[in-house]
Amino acid sequence: MSLKRKKISVIGAGFTGSTTAFLLAQKELGDVVLVDIPEAENPTKGKALDMWEAAPIQGFDSYVTGTSDYKDTADSDLVIITAGVARKPGMSRDDLVQINQKVVKSVTKEIMKHSSNPTIIVLTNPVDAMTYVAYKESGLPKNKVLGQSGVLDTARFRAFVAEELNVSVKDVSGFVLGGHGDTMVPLTRYSYVGGIPVETLIPKDRLEQIVQRTRVGGGEIVNLLGNGSAYYAPAAALVEMAEAIIKDQRRILPAVAYLEGEYGFEGIYLGVPTLLGANGVEKIFELDLTEDEKAALKKSAESVKSLMSALN
Ligand SMILES: NC(=O)C1=CN([C@@H]2O[C@H](COP(=O)(O)OP(=O)(O)OC[C@H]3O[C@@H](n4cnc5c(N)ncnc54)[C@H](O)[C@@H]3O)[C@@H](O)[C@H]2O)C=CC1
Ligand SMILES: CC(=O)C(=O)O
C-alpha cells in the first residue's frame, strides 16, 4: 500500500525559506514547493533544483520545486510563510509590521485560492501580529493557523544553558512564553537540566544574564550578520513544528496560538505551550504562574496588542 505523500509549500525563498525547504526535504516530511515573487522566479527555481540535485547524495525522496505560481501549491497539507522583509541592524521586529502585513495578507489570499484546508505556520515578523493577519485572511479555524517563536527562543535559552554548564543541549529543557520580542518571558522555573531544576544549578544573577541574552538573541545575530537576521535556528524550529504536525507526533512545544480566554487574554496570538498534532494546535496548556511571571506576560501581551492596533 502506498501512502499519499504530504505536500508542504514554503512561501518566501529567502534565507529562512530556502533553509527550511532543504531541512524539510532532508527529513522527507513531504514534497516541497518553494514560492517567491515573479521577479525572483528563476533564483527560486534554481534553489529548488539545487536542493533536488542533493537528493541522490543525501538519499532523500522528497521532491523540491520552485515557482512563483500559486497553482503549484494546490492542495498543500502544510504552508509555511516566511515571505516578507527581515530586520536590518537598528530595526526592531515591530518596524516590520507595516511592510509585512501586506505581504502576509496577499500570500495567504493566494494560498487559500488553491488549498482548502491547509495548516499554516507563520514565521514572518512581527510574528504574533502576522499570524493574526494570516488567521483573519485565511478564514481557517484557529487551530490551523499558528506561528513560530517559542521553539526558537527556547532553543536559544537551552543552548546558552548547555554552554554555561558544559552539558549536552539534549538534557536542557525550557519554556519561553509571550510575544516574540524583547518582552518575551523565559520561564526559568519550568526549565530543567536532566530533570534537575536549572535554578538550583546556575546562580540567580548569572541565570538572569542568560535570560536577558535569550530575550535579545535575535538582535545578537542581526548585529553579527550585518545584513539580515537568523535563519539556521529559525528554520530548524519551523521544521520541528512541521514534523510534529505532519507526523501527528502530539509534541508539547511552544507556539504562537490564538487565545480566547487562556492566560486571561482574549482575541490575540501569543506564544504559549501547546500540543501540536495532525490538527495543528490541539491544546493550549495553562501553566501556574507567579505574580511576577503574570506581570511579565501581561507586559508582553500589551506589546503584541499595540502591534495589532497598528494593523490595517
Ligand atoms: N518568528 C521568528 O522567529 C523569525 C522570523 N523571521 C522573519 O521571517 C521573515 C523572513 O526572513 P528571511 O528569510 O531572513 O528574509 P529574506 O529577505 O532572506 O527572505 C524573504 C523572502 O520573502 C520574499 N517575498 C517578499 N514578498 C513576497 C511575496 N509577496 N510573496 C512571496 N515571497 C515574497 C522575498 O523575495 C525574499 O526572498 C522576516 O520577516 C524575518 O523577520 C526570521 C527568523 C525568525
Ligand atoms: C529574526 C528573529 O525574529 C529572530 O532571530 O529571533
Side-chain angles (χ1 to χ4, degrees), residues 11-17 35-37 70 82-87 96 100 103 106-107 123-125 127 148-149 152 180 229-230 234:
I11 319 298
F15 284 108
T16 54
V35 186
D36 209 293
I37 51 177
Y70 280 83
T82 75
V85 171
R87 268 202 294 176
L96 304 178
N100 283 349
V103 172
S106 74
V107 305
L123 184 80
T124 307
N125 272 323
V127 66
Q148 187 305 117
S149 71
L152 171 64
H180 183 53
S229 57

